[in-house]
Amino acid sequence: MKDRKKKRSRKNILPLLVIGAGLILIGAAAWAYLPSLTTGERKVVSAIPMEVNYPAPELSLTDLQGNLVSLADYRGQVVLVNNWATWCPPCKEEMPALQAYYDAHRQQKFSVIAIEAGQPVAEVADFVQRYGLTFPVWTDPKLMATAAFRNPGLPSSYIIDSNGVVRLAWAGAISLEMLEGHVTPLLEE
């Protein structure tokens, strides 16, 4: 009889352990997320760039004013090409970091080119105004940029050095800290 009670009590403990582990995981997630709720601040979880080395694609699109623009126009500068969309949550989250980095470094022959993937010009222009973006924004109704860089995921970003060589590639949102740590050294070369 005692053996049966021991077996039953062991069987009853397993579900309690699983529930307990689940509650611990929920608590850890809440602990990590709550500071952003109490301060009103959301921290961008940043991807880590991959070092690459290939020629920048030849890419010509139009800006928000309808002018034909090309990556070749930026030769001699370090350029961050950001493929994004107005509907993409991580894209929206990284825009303040891109703007802050651009503001801090545009005097160092640095530019951001944000290439919006497929939305109408009026919608993109409204987004640019709402977010206070001052760097160049191009429209890409045929998704030529994601094809040229061979990455359809959004957001995705690429650092092109002053010689026209792609040196870094990101798949995912970028934080200001990640830009400072990986792009600033290229500006100082």
Side-chain angles (χ1 to χ4, degrees):
M1 189 108 154
K2 286 185 181 182
D3 289 337
R4 281 186 180 170
K5 284 185 180 181
K6 282 184 182 179
K7 284 182 182 179
R8 249 191 242 151
S9 67
R10 285 183 191 155
K11 284 183 180 178
N12 291 340
I13 289 176
L14 183 60
L16 292 175
L17 288 174
V18 171
I19 291 170
L23 289 173
I24 289 170
L25 289 174
I26 289 170
W31 179 79
Y33 186 69
L34 281 177
S36 67
L37 293 177
T38 57
T39 64
E41 209 176 282
R42 283 189 50 98
K43 187 170 182 161
V44 174
V45 176
S46 185
I48 297 172
M50 181 172 66
E51 290 186 23
V52 294
N53 185 1
Y54 60 89
E58 293 187 23
L59 184 64
S60 295
L61 296 166
T62 56
D63 64 16
L64 292 178
Q65 292 72 40
N67 302 312
L68 185 63
V69 286
S70 172
L71 284 181
D73 299 339
Y74 290 82
R75 191 65 50 92
Q77 294 185 42
V78 173
V79 178
L80 185 153
V81 173
N82 177 253
N83 291 322
W84 66 287
T86 59
W87 51 262
C88 164
C91 302
K92 293 175 184 180
E93 287 181 11
E94 75 177 351
M95 283 299 166
L98 295 177
Q99 183 64 52
Y101 192 81
Y102 174 71
D103 289 342
H105 296 281
R106 66 179 170 200
Q107 300 301 322
Q108 294 175 273
K109 291 191 174 189
F110 171 77
S111 190
V112 171
I113 300 172
I115 302 176
E116 204 286 331
Q119 299 305 306
V121 172
E123 185 176 322
V124 178
D126 181 58
F127 182 98
V128 166
Q129 183 179 4
R130 278 186 290 125
Y131 278 75
L133 304 179
T134 60
F135 46 76
V137 176
W138 301 357
T139 58
D140 188 9
K142 295 181 181 175
L143 306 178
M144 293 169 50
T146 56
F149 283 99
R150 298 184 187 120
N151 183 356
L154 299 174
S156 59
S157 298
Y158 308 87
I159 299 298
I160 302 171
D161 70 16
S162 59
N163 297 315
V165 176
V166 181
R167 302 272 300 274
L168 296 171
W170 273 272
I174 305 173
S175 68
L176 185 57
E177 295 82 13
M178 199 61 65
L179 290 167
E180 289 291 352
H182 292 279
V183 179
T184 302
L186 293 175
L187 296 174
E188 296 167 354
E189 286 184 354

